[in-house]
Structures are given as structure tokens and as C-alpha cells.
């Protein structure tokens, strides 16, 4: 099994290095095929490891080499494949394989084709390092790796100012959160003497509650940045500036899922500090509703799906915070499949509409894009949580967990969020694929994506439909590591009333979305309608003015203060001092270099001058020595 572990881990790295060899050359199709093939190899190896874990219940643990060994600190390059990490490996490799094959068509005419695949495969490798490491230090290496690769991919079209800005925003905001995580890791070592998961988890049981709370809070700050939880959430929607395959990978399998994985992996820590867990659940619930509300009015299909990701991450944190770690991980897995499918479908629509993202400028595309319409519709059904697709089985258990644990406010908010999710999901489906063919007014000539791109998307479609059927098997597999609680409502009548009521609520939300946005005479909003001029609309479309607050009350004052320090201290004090010293030395050297002209007459003149100076000094010191014992000592020291 050790060989399969190494193959699964390092295949994406080989693919990245191969593509990197051709980054300075024109597009070469082989730089797309080889990394994609190696991703499939990684998936197959992960499947073998999954079979081993399922059949034996045993983990695969290897130590590649010693990384840091000094004093009592020993950190190896160690990797573990257990019930949790193998789940993440399967999610990462399945989605990444599909995205790689899809990107061959999507990036077909892009000049940076080769560079794109080098970054994309490196992204996957970093995520695998993160989820397969057996210690917090290795996890942090992968953590920073996905941060670096996301910067390169979000800002892939660096000639666009908006793309470069979005990449920097994501990178810097995550660095803020990563400082908190780094402090948490230091606290783990300081109090346990190890960064290995097994040793640290065992030592946590002996620590006092205040120390555990500090560790849990600082680690979660890191998770807040990676998984874009409030208030470190603004970068996620702006990250849509990257190519659509990047968005699919970030939102489904890498980057944002890392924060949820960290909390799930550290379940033995958070189980000991339920107050912190309740805070995580409350924040996740707030973010679920908060993000869903912003998706209601947005006129950018990729941003709507991005807000959907933010909302679903809130669901995952709500489950994890309530102690339902296996439920959070299961929803992460199910969500990855239908969310990647949604993003890739949105990529097809963008290609068809010459990169147009406003759904109000579309309409009726189902006639020419039947394949994409079917896939995006089924993905939206799964996202809405309708039976029998995957989203129903994962989201329903989160609601059950909240209700069973008597957190009725959390349950109510998540239930309302489910209705909003159904509404905004089918709002864009109705606007894009149904109703009047508004795209004709703008001169668009839509077309379906390449057939092989649709074929590449089909595994995600299948999994979005059937993944929920594996809930029992999944629970049986992970219960050896995660909390083995199955959440059931004690009264069967109450359970069925809740389930049926939730389904009816979601169906009504979908019906309302279709009624509102399928009308054949729907008009393009022009910015003067009553809705667009209302306070609520402006509040939502401007993201509750949080980016405005950050820009005007944090960024601008900091920039202004930086300019003051730059001009008044850096230039006038630091630079002036350094430049002044350099100028004195330069001027002195320039003045005295005449002494070294090599002219014999000049050299004799300087020699005579030197002798006269020395004799004059000797006379002066000699006369002064008569009146000063101190000077006599000095002169004797000088040999005068």
C-alpha cells in the first residue's frame, strides 16, 4: 500500500513539473494530456487505498524522511491514509481529474495553456500534502502551498487589473488568518511537545480548558481564512476573476474545503471544548444565511455560485461545531460533486456567450445547450437538497443534528437558508435556459461546449445523483475516527413532518423562482427599477457594504499611514541618513583620489606635506606634555 500512497501523492507533482518545462513555449496539447492522465493515475491509486481502508479498517502510515530534528523537536515528512484523509483524497482526485480534462477544452485558445496546467497540478499536489500529512507542520506546508497556487490561478490573467487585485486580496487575507493558525500550531507544540496528530490528540486530554480553548480558537482563525468565513469572506467572490476550471477546483475540492478539513481532523480537540464548537456552529449558521441572501440579487452567474459555496461551507461548519464531524465531512464530499458540476456548466455558458456573465442577457439557451442545461439543472436540484439527489442526504442530516441537539435557532436559520438556496439556484437556471431568447438582442450566437467536455463532466453528474446512497457505508467507515453519533429524531412522526415540510418548502421556493423569472416578457434591469433602487437591493448587491467598509476604514487609513511613514521617516530620515553617509564617503574619496594620480612630483609633494604635519604634531604634543601628565602618557603610548 505504501507504493500506492506515493503514486497518489506525487503524480500531480510530476504532471506540474512536466507542464512547467513548456511554460515559455507555445501551446502544446501534451501539456494538458500528461497532467490529466497523471491525475487519473492518482485517482486510481486513491481508489486502491480506499478499498484497503474499507476492507481492513487499517490506516496506511509512512515516513518519507526526517524533516526537522533538533532538541526535542522531531518533525518527519510523514503521511497517513485513514478514513478521513482517504475521503478527502477521493474528493480531490475525482474533481481534479474532471477539471483537468475539461480545462483542455476550456483553455484551448489561451496563450497561457501550458502555464495553466503547471499551476493547476501544483494546486492539487499541495492539497494532497495538506490532507495526507500526519502532523500539523506538514498540514501547514500544504496549507501555504494551496494559498500560493490559488494566487497564481486567480490572477492567471494577470494583464487584467481586476484579476491581479483579486489574487492579491485572496493571498493577503489568507496570510492574516494563517498568522492565527501558526500561533495555534506553536501552542500545540508548546503544550504537548509534539505536532504529530496522534501524540497531540492524546496530550490534549491532559490540558486545562483555557489552554485548549486558546489552541482551538487560533486554529479556527486559520480555517476562517481558507474557508472564507465572516469576516474574512470577501476574497471568495472576487476569486471568480480566475478561469472557470480554477473556480470549480477552489470551490469544490481544494482551498475552501481545507478549513473544514482542519476542524474535522482536529475533532478530538474541539470535542473537549464544546463552547468553541458552539461558536463555530453559530458562525457557520450566520454565514449560511448571510451568503445566501447576497446570492438572491446578484447578476453574475459565477458569483451566485460562489455565494452558494460560502453558504454551504456555513452548513459544514454548523455540523462540525455541533460535533457532527462525519456529517460535515459527508456534506463536503457530496457538495464537491454538484458544485464542481455547476461551475463547469457555468463555464460552458460563458464560452457560449463570449464570456458574458449576466443571466438577464441570456434566456432560452436550453434550446441550443441541452446537455449543459440538464447537468446544471440536476446539480441545482442536488444543491437545493431535493430527494433523492446527494444534497438531500447530506443537508438533511445537518438539519437533523441541529434539531436533535435542541439548537432550534440554528435549525430554523438553516431551514430558511435551504429555501433561499433553492430560490437563487433556480433563479439563474430559469434566467439562463428558459424564457425568451434575450441573447439575440445583444448579438450573441451561443453554442454547446465540446462533446468531450460534457463527457468529462458526466462522472460529476452521476455522483451528484447517487452519492447520497453511500451515506450508511460512509458512516460505517469513518465512525472509527469521528464521533459515531447517528442523528435521528426520536419521534417518527416529527421526523417525517420535518422532512416532508422541508421538501415542500424547497419545492415552493423553486416554483416561485420559475414563476418570477421564466416569464417570456421579462425585462432587462436597467438600474432604475423600484427593486434596484430599494434599500434592501442595494444592501445585498453591495455585500452589506462590508467591502466598502474595509476599503474606506481599514485599507485607505492604513495606506495613508504607510505614505506618511514612507515620506516622513523612510525618505527623510532613513534614506537621508544612508544617502548622506554615502555622499560624504563619495565626496571624500573624490577629493582625495588626486593623491593617487601616480605623478612623481605630486607624490613627493604629498610626502613632504605629510612629514611637515607629523613634525608639527610632535612639537605640539611635546610642548603640551610638560603641562599634562595625561598627555605624557598618551605621547609615550604614541612613541613620541
Amino acid at each position: 500500500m505504501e507504493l500506492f500512497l506515493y503514486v497518489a501523492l506525487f503524480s500531480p507533482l510530476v504532471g506540474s513539473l512536466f507542464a512547467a518545462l513548456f511554460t515559455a513555449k507555445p501551446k502544446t496539447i501534451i501539456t494538458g494530456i500528461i497532467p490529466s492522465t497523471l491525475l487519473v493515475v492518482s485517482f486510481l491509486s486513491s481508489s486502491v487505498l480506499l478499498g484497503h481502508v474499507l476492507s481492513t479498517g487499517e490506516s496506511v502510515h509512512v515516513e518519507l524522511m526526517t524533516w526537522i530534528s533538533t532538541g526535542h523537536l522531531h518533525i518527519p515528512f510523514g503521511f497517513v491514509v485513514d478514513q478521513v484523509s482517504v475521503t478527502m483524497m477521493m474528493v480531490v482526485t475525482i474533481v481534479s481529474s474532471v477539471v483537468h480534462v475539461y480545462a483542455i477544452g476550456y483553455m484551448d485558445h489561451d496563450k497561457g495553456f501550458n502555464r495553466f496546467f503547471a499551476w493547476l497540478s501544483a494546486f492539487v499536489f499541495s492539497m494532497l500534502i495538506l490532507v495526507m500529512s500526519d502532523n500539523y507542520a506538514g498540514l501547514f506546508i500544504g496549507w501555504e502551498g494551496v494559498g500560493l497556487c490559488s494566487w497564481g490561478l486567480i490572477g492567471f490573467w494577470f494583464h487584467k487589473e481586476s484579476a491581479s487585485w483579486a489574487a492579491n486580496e485572496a493571498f493577503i487575507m489568507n496570510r492574516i488568518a494563517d498568522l492565527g493558525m501558526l500561533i495555534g500550531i506553536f501552542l500545540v507544540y508548546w503544550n504537548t511537545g509534539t505536532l504529530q496528530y496522534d501524540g497531540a490528540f492524546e496530550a490534549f486530554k491532559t490540558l486545562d480548558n483555557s489552554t485548549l480553548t486558546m489552541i482551538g480558537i487560533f486554529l479556527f482563525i486559520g480555517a476562517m481564512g481558507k474557508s472564507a468565513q465572516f469576516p474574512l469572506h470577501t476574497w471568495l467572490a472576487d476569486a471568480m476573476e480566475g478561469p472557470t476550471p480554477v473556480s470549480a477546483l477552489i470551490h469544490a475540492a481544494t482551498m475552501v474545503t481545507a478549513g473544514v478539513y482542519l476542524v474535522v481532523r482536529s475533532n478530538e480537540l474541539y470535542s473537549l471544548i464544546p463552547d468553541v464548537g458552539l461558536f463555530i456552529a453559530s458562525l457557520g449558521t450566520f454565514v449560511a444565511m448571510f451568503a445566501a441572501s447576497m446570492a438572491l440579487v446578484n447578476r453574475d452567474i459565477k458569483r451566485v455560485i460562489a455565494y452558494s459555496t460560502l453558504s454551504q461551507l456555513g452548513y459544514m461548519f454548523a455540523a462540525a461545531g455541533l460535533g457532527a464531524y462525519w456529517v460535515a465531512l459527508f456534506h463536503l464530499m457530496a457538495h464537491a460533486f454538484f458544485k464542481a458540476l455547476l461551475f463547469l456548466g457555468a463555464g460552458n455558458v460563458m464560452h457560449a456567450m463570449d464570456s458574458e456573465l449576466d443571466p438577464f442577457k441570456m434566456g432560452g439557451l436550453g434550446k441550443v445547450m441541452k446537455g449543459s442545461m440538464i447537468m446544471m439543472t440536476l446539480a441545482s436540484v442536488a444543491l437545493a437538497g431535493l430527494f433523492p439527489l446527494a444534497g438531500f442526504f447530506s443537508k438533511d442530516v445537518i438539519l437533523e443534528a441541529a434539531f436533535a441537539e435542541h439548537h432550534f435557532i440554528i435549525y430554523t436559520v438553516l431551514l430558511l437558508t435551504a429555501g433561499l438556496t433553492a430560490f437563487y439556484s433556480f433563479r439563474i437556471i430559469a434566467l439562463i435556459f428558459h424564457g425568451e431568447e434575450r441573447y439575440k438582442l445583444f448579438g450573441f450566437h451561443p453554442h454547446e461546449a465540446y462533446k468531450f467536455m460534457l463527457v468529462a463532466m458526466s462522472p460529476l453528474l452521476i455522483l451528484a445523483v447517487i452519492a447520497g446512497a453511500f451515506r450508511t457505508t460512509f458512516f460505517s467507515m469513518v465512525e472509527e475516527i469521528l464521533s459515531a453519533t447517528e442523528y435521528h429524531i426520536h419521534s417518527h412522526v416529527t421526523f417525517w413532518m420535518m422532512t416532508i415540510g422541508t421538501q415542500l418548502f424547497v419545492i415552493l421556493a423553486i416554483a416561485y423562482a420559475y414563476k418570477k423569472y421564466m416569464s417570456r416578457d421579462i425585462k432587462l434591469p436597467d438600474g432604475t427599477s423600484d427593486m434596484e433602487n430599494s434599500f434592501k437591493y442595494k444592501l445585498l448587491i453591495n455585500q452589506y457594504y462590508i467591502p466598502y467598509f474595509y476599503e474606506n476604514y481599514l485599507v485607505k487609513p492604513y495606506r495613508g499611514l504607510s505614505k506618511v511613514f514612507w515620506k516622513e521617516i523612510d525618505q527623510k530620515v532613513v534614506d537621508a541618513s544612508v544617502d548622506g553617509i554615502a555622499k560624504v564617503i563619495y565626496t571624500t574619496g573624490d577629493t582625495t583620489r588626486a593623491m593617487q594620480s601616480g605623478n612623481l612630483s605630486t607624490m613627493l609633494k604629498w610626502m613632504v606635506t605629510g612629514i611637515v604635519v607629523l613634525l608639527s604634531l610632535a612639537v605640539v604634543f611635546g610642548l603640551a606634555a610638560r603641562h599634562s601628565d595625561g598627555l605624557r602618557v598618551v605621547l609615550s603610548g604614541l612613541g613620541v
Side-chain angles (χ1 to χ4, degrees), residues 2 21 67 99 139 290 322 337 507:
E2 184 175 336
L21 295 174
W67 176 23
V99 169
L139 179 146
F290 172 73
L322 294 175
F337 301 138
I507 291 171

Side-chain angles (χ1 to χ4, degrees), residues 504-521:
L504 288 175
F505 183 47
V506 168
I507 291 171
L508 286 174
I510 293 172
Y512 179 62
Y514 268 108
K515 181 180 181 299
K516 186 175 179 63
Y517 293 105
M518 269 191 64
S519 174
R520 297 194 63 83
D521 61 352

Side-chain angles (χ1 to χ4, degrees), residues 505-572:
F505 183 47
V506 168
I507 291 171
L508 286 174
I510 293 172
Y512 179 62
Y514 268 108
K515 181 180 181 299
K516 186 175 179 63
Y517 293 105
M518 269 191 64
S519 174
R520 297 194 63 83
D521 61 352
I522 188 171
K523 296 181 180 179
L524 182 70
D526 58 3
T528 61
S529 65
D530 292 338
M531 181 190 74
E532 289 192 306
N533 286 327
S534 69
F535 172 75
K536 288 186 291 185
Y537 177 87
K538 290 180 178 179
L539 188 67
L540 296 177
I541 201 68
N542 289 291
Q543 305 175 57
Y544 293 93
Y545 293 98
I546 292 173
Y548 174 85
F549 173 81
Y550 286 171
E551 177 66 24
N552 289 280
Y553 295 100
L554 295 179
V555 176
K556 284 186 177 179
Y558 181 79
R559 186 186 297 125
L561 185 64
S562 299
K563 285 184 178 179
V564 170
F565 275 93
W566 168 51
K567 291 183 178 180
E568 301 300 325
I569 297 178
D570 196 33
Q571 287 189 334
K572 293 184 178 180

Side-chain angles (χ1 to χ4, degrees), residues 30 127 151 172 187 481 555:
I30 198 71
M127 189 65 187
W151 174 82
I172 293 169
L187 287 174
I481 293 182
V555 176

Side-chain angles (χ1 to χ4, degrees), residues 28-73:
T28 309
I29 191 65
I30 198 71
T31 58
I33 294 174
I34 295 298
S36 301
T37 303
L38 288 169
L39 254 296
V40 174
V41 170
S42 181
F43 159 67
L44 294 174
S45 298
S46 299
S47 301
V48 173
L49 292 166
L50 173 64
H52 171 77
V53 172
L54 277 172
S55 60
T56 67
E58 299 176 354
S59 61
V60 181
H61 197 170
V62 301
E63 184 175 319
L64 181 61
M65 65 181 75
T66 297
W67 176 23
I68 300 174
S69 184
T70 175
H72 297 290
L73 177 62

